[in-house]
Amino acid sequence: MAAPGKVAAFSLPPLPTVGEIIKLFRLKARKQLSQNFLLDLRLTDKIVRQAGELKNAHVCEVGPGPGGITRSILSAGVEQLLLIEKDTRFIPGLKMLSEAAPGKVRIVHGDILTYKMEKAFPGHLRKNWEEEPPDIHIIGNLPFSVSTPLIIKWLENVSKKDGPFIYGRTQMTLTFQKEVAERLTANPGGKQRSRLSIMAQHLCTVENCFVIPGEAFVPVPEVDVAVVHFTPLVQPKIEQPFKLVEKVVQSVFQFRRKYCFRGIATLFPESGRLKRTEQLMMTANVDPTLRPFQLSMSQFRNLCNTYRKMCDEDPSLFVYNYREELRLKKKMGNLLKNTSQPEQS
Ligand code: SAM
């Protein structure tokens, strides 16, 4: 767990409030972009404290918007702050903040989903993976439609040690819809245990820090929000390629309420499915009558390791796609049905 950091290590000169910036630049939140702003600086300070000690750190904030969290990050006394914002309307307000902290802020008008993080920070900050995390942090309050695909992308980066993790075990403090945060941190047997739990927890220490009630945002979203902190693990709990783990985990959770063998069976083509499913479950030592959400991380590890061996023996296995097989079968069925219709005279 990251030790909570201090905020207010650096004093910004007097500035218009975030609310005044919103009025000044007419920054009405765009519903279609799921923009919900945090104006309460005590809350933005609390988010930033979850990142840990930020004095002299290098930080990337994703989606700064009108700049509430940005102010808290600057007040923490960071060395450099990189802001990545997709909506041009926010750039003038962010420039005003940048002038208040000369030489510290770099503003990029861009999309975090495509921005190349490999070059975002100076090379001298790099640490070996086994060392303590580098003095680099990613912080952001993003729309939910962006934060889930983004964390999947960044988890794949963790597994490959590329993207923002080229610098070592870069820590992230991000907001999610409360239910998604619960899924990210759920333990075996928990109601929210899901694909996201395994994908995140096999690569990172994941901590659900605190909940922000929806009413704290302007405009008020329909859901509550939670702040989640990620620190990549030195040793992943499953040491297999990300795509292989993702395929096994997705298959297991395909039928959430059924016995886990139902989902696991979808890893194999129809011919020989039963035999191979039994072989996988026996070698991995997993009780086929457990439900997907009851499986522990070590059971997922055994399943992934055994499936990997089976794929090495039969390389056609990994490219097999159950859903594609179903789709083709349906298409063939329809074709046969249409061609066997008697012609109308
Ligand atoms: N951080 C601000 C706050 O807490 O008040 C704004 C939060 S608002 C929920 C999300 C912000 O992310 C908006 O400013 C939006 O324009 C920006 N954003 C949305 N998608 C983005 C993307 N793909 N890349 C960068 N910024 C994005």
Side-chain angles (χ1 to χ4, degrees):
M1 171 180 163
K6 290 187 230 77
V7 176
F10 171 84
S11 294
L12 286 164
L15 282 166
T17 64
V18 181
E20 283 163 352
I21 294 254
I22 290 174
K23 279 203 196 114
L24 187 65
F25 294 104
R26 296 167 199 253
L27 303 175
K28 199 168 183 304
R30 290 199 169 138
K31 217 172 175 184
Q32 68 274 30
L33 291 180
S34 313
Q35 290 176 340
N36 307 96
F37 306 138
L38 274 174
L39 310 188
D40 181 344
L41 292 188
R42 281 166 309 179
L43 262 178
T44 56
D45 282 352
K46 191 171 172 190
I47 296 175
V48 169
R49 277 199 298 273
Q50 301 306 316
E53 179 57 59
L54 292 188
K55 195 160 182 347
N56 301 327
H58 288 244
V59 176
C60 169
E61 189 197 26
V62 287
I69 298 178
T70 320
R71 290 174 189 228
S72 296
I73 298 172
L74 286 170
S75 299
V78 298
E79 174 76 21
Q80 280 286 316
L81 175 56
L82 168 64
L83 303 174
I84 301 174
E85 175 53 63
K86 194 175 173 183
D87 187 338
T88 39
R89 295 175 310 143
F90 294 114
I91 305 296
L94 294 172
K95 280 193 175 143
M96 190 184 261
L97 272 180
S98 153
E99 280 155 21
K104 286 193 185 286
V105 183
R106 202 156 34 111
I107 303 169
V108 171
H109 171 223
D111 186 334
I112 190 60
L113 290 166
T114 50
Y115 185 74
K116 297 261 173 285
M117 292 291 279
E118 288 83 352
K119 297 209 170 111
F121 306 102
H124 72 265
L125 296 173
R126 276 191 190 208
K127 289 265 179 85
N128 289 326
W129 193 260
E130 296 71 25
E131 290 180 67
E132 283 298 295
D135 222 357
I136 296 176
H137 294 258
I138 298 174
I139 301 178
N141 171 29
L142 279 169
F144 309 131
S145 57
V146 178
S147 53
T148 306
L150 186 62
I151 194 61
I152 291 289
K153 176 179 146 76
W154 278 343
L155 288 170
E156 183 162 10
N157 289 147
V158 171
S159 123
K160 294 181 177 160
K161 301 182 183 156
D162 62 12
F165 309 98
I166 204 156
Y167 297 91
R169 295 185 297 121
T170 300
Q171 298 176 72
M172 303 176 276
T173 309
L174 304 168
T175 58
F176 294 88
Q177 184 178 335
K178 185 170 157 264
E179 281 69 27
V180 175
E182 284 167 1
R183 272 183 240 149
L184 283 162
T185 52
N187 290 320
K191 210 171 94 204
Q192 299 285 12
R193 183 80 161 176
S194 62
R195 177 178 77 103
L196 266 185
S197 329
I198 313 301
M199 295 316 291
Q201 294 170 32
H202 90 274
L203 290 163
C204 295
T205 303
V206 193
E207 189 198 338
N208 194 340
C209 304
F210 66 96
V211 173
I212 311 177
E215 302 82 67
F217 293 84
V218 179
V220 176
E222 278 163 18
V223 289
D224 291 337
V225 172
V227 177
V228 183
H229 185 265
F230 301 82
T231 310
L233 292 164
V234 172
Q235 195 85 29
K237 292 188 178 151
I238 304 175
E239 294 193 87
Q240 293 296 348
F242 187 85
K243 291 285 180 215
L244 185 139
V245 181
E246 198 176 39
K247 188 175 181 196
V248 171
V249 174
Q250 238 161 16
S251 302
V252 173
F253 279 103
Q254 191 145 191
F255 304 108
R256 212 190 136 69
R257 289 166 195 278
K258 306 254 192 280
Y259 291 147
C260 66
F261 79 83
R262 277 291 307 276
I264 292 173
T266 65
L267 285 167
F268 304 109
E270 202 171 357
S271 79
R273 178 172 289 153
L274 189 61
K275 198 165 146 249
R276 282 171 139 173
T277 308
E278 273 173 14
Q279 184 194 343
L280 171 56
M281 307 218 61
M282 269 177 61
T283 317
N285 198 16
V286 174
D287 174 351
T289 64
L290 287 173
R291 313 276 169 183
F293 57 88
Q294 295 176 309
L295 265 60
S296 66
M297 188 59 82
S298 64
Q299 286 171 317
F300 274 104
R301 179 178 51 230
N302 290 351
L303 286 171
C304 291
N305 289 347
T306 311
Y307 178 65
R308 169 68 189 266
K309 276 196 199 120
M310 294 171 89
C311 289
D312 286 346
E313 281 160 19
D314 175 0
S316 70
L317 207 52
F318 188 65
V319 288
Y320 168 70
N321 183 322
Y322 173 75
R323 296 211 165 268
E324 185 62 14
E325 188 177 78
L326 279 188
R327 202 183 59 80
L328 284 177
K329 257 189 175 168
K330 199 168 158 201
K331 201 168 158 193
M332 286 299 285
N334 285 342
L335 264 175
L336 286 173
K337 213 161 71 190
N338 291 341
T339 48
S340 62
Q341 296 276 338
E343 273 183 34
Q344 305 276 318
S345 57

